[in-house]
Amino acid sequence: MSRDWLRSAMVALPIVGLVTSAAQGAAPPADGDAAIAQSLAEMLRDARTVVSNNQDLINNPELGDKHLTGQVVLDQAVKSYTQATGSDPATVDPKSRQGRLLRAMMAAIVAVTDDNQATINEKGTGFKGFIPAVFARLVSEDFNQMAKGEAEVKVTAPPELVRNRKARPDAWEADIIKTKLLDPKWPRGQSYSAVVDANGHPAFRIMVPEYYAASCLVCHGSPKGEMDLTGYPKEGGKVGDLGAAMSITLYH
Ligand code: HEC
């Protein structure tokens, strides 16, 4: 594949309009890559929300076994996924690329939750550090192992907000955050995607923006610099600020 082809693809392919409709829950776009990426993002987000909805249970120091197993988290995530997309992941052909990758994401959700049962079920400790961001990072890492060479998922953020260095944006991600997602004129909630060169291969890359909700500000809010309950300085974020970007790469 020539460089010229790549360069023109980069110019021609930001199919942002299509991708937004999927992000908002409308029918998935015909484009295969965008549909696959959006379905992976949706599944990871849904599972992260399950952890968020169960945060009080996880943080309960009185209870031992919380019965929050990998299967329980996956079942709840699949329920939200099916509601949001109108399609049950079980019906996606397991031999298709989407079916394979979606099942890898689901397997990662189960594995990470099951691997952390000792932490989740620890009696006598309230805050255990098992929070949505950590869960999403561990699931992404597991998924990336399973999908090696085919796909990569990462939750990143504007560089000045990044807490865990593993979440730092790479050059392309930092550029898209700065020039697109943080641009005041960028339509809220709209993803950015392009076909670019990644590690020497053409790849479909997409950045899905996420914004701080009130619930995030206990840790990421004000006063800036004050320690939050996890031991990190708060970022001074406000409701509606760009707080995260889900970055998905599909290698061709
Ligand atoms: C209980 C405190 C807490 C809350 C509430 C919280 N976060 Fe975080 N967040 C953290 C911690 C701690 C990390 C670092 C996780 C790690 O080690 O990977 C983090 C990491 C992140 C990351 C990954 C990038 C990085 O900085 O490492 C993003 C993005 C993020 N949070 C966004 C959010 C959003 C959006 C919300 C609300 C929906 C939220 N957080 C709610 C504590 C919190």
Side-chain angles (χ1 to χ4, degrees), residues 48 127 131-134 137 155-157 161-165 167 210-213 215-220 228-230 232 235 243-245:
R48 190 179 56 185
F127 184 70
I131 59 170
V134 171
R137 175 167 56 75
V155 182
T156 183
L161 299 183
V162 170
R163 295 181 164 205
N164 190 313
R165 58 200 309 273
E210 301 188 290
Y211 305 88
Y212 284 139
S215 66
C216 314
L217 303 185
V218 200
C219 297
H220 295 286
D228 73 5
L229 71 156
T230 70
Y232 280 95
E235 287 82 359

Side-chain angles (χ1 to χ4, degrees), residues 23 45 181 186-192 207-211 242-246:
R45 258 201 316 262
L181 306 184
W186 187 254
R188 220 189 136 68
Q190 184 160 290
S191 302
Y192 177 88
M207 295 280 279
V208 184
E210 301 188 290
Y211 305 88
L242 181 77
M246 211 175 262

Side-chain angles (χ1 to χ4, degrees), residues 10-35:
M10 282 170 70
V11 176
L13 269 177
I15 46 167
V16 286
L18 289 170
V19 166
T20 318
S21 59
Q24 290 168 350
D31 182 273
D33 283 334

Side-chain angles (χ1 to χ4, degrees), residues 1 49 79 116 124 130 134 147 174 195 212 234 237 243:
M1 203 162 299
T49 301
K79 213 171 138 196
N116 282 280
F130 195 75
V134 171
V195 173
Y212 284 139
K234 296 183 190 177

Side-chain angles (χ1 to χ4, degrees), residues 164-184:
N164 190 313
R165 58 200 309 273
K166 290 180 182 166
R168 281 203 296 230
D170 66 20
W172 184 82
E173 290 163 340
D175 180 55
I176 299 309
I177 288 172
K178 189 171 158 206
T179 63
K180 309 286 179 196
L181 306 184
L182 279 174
D183 181 342

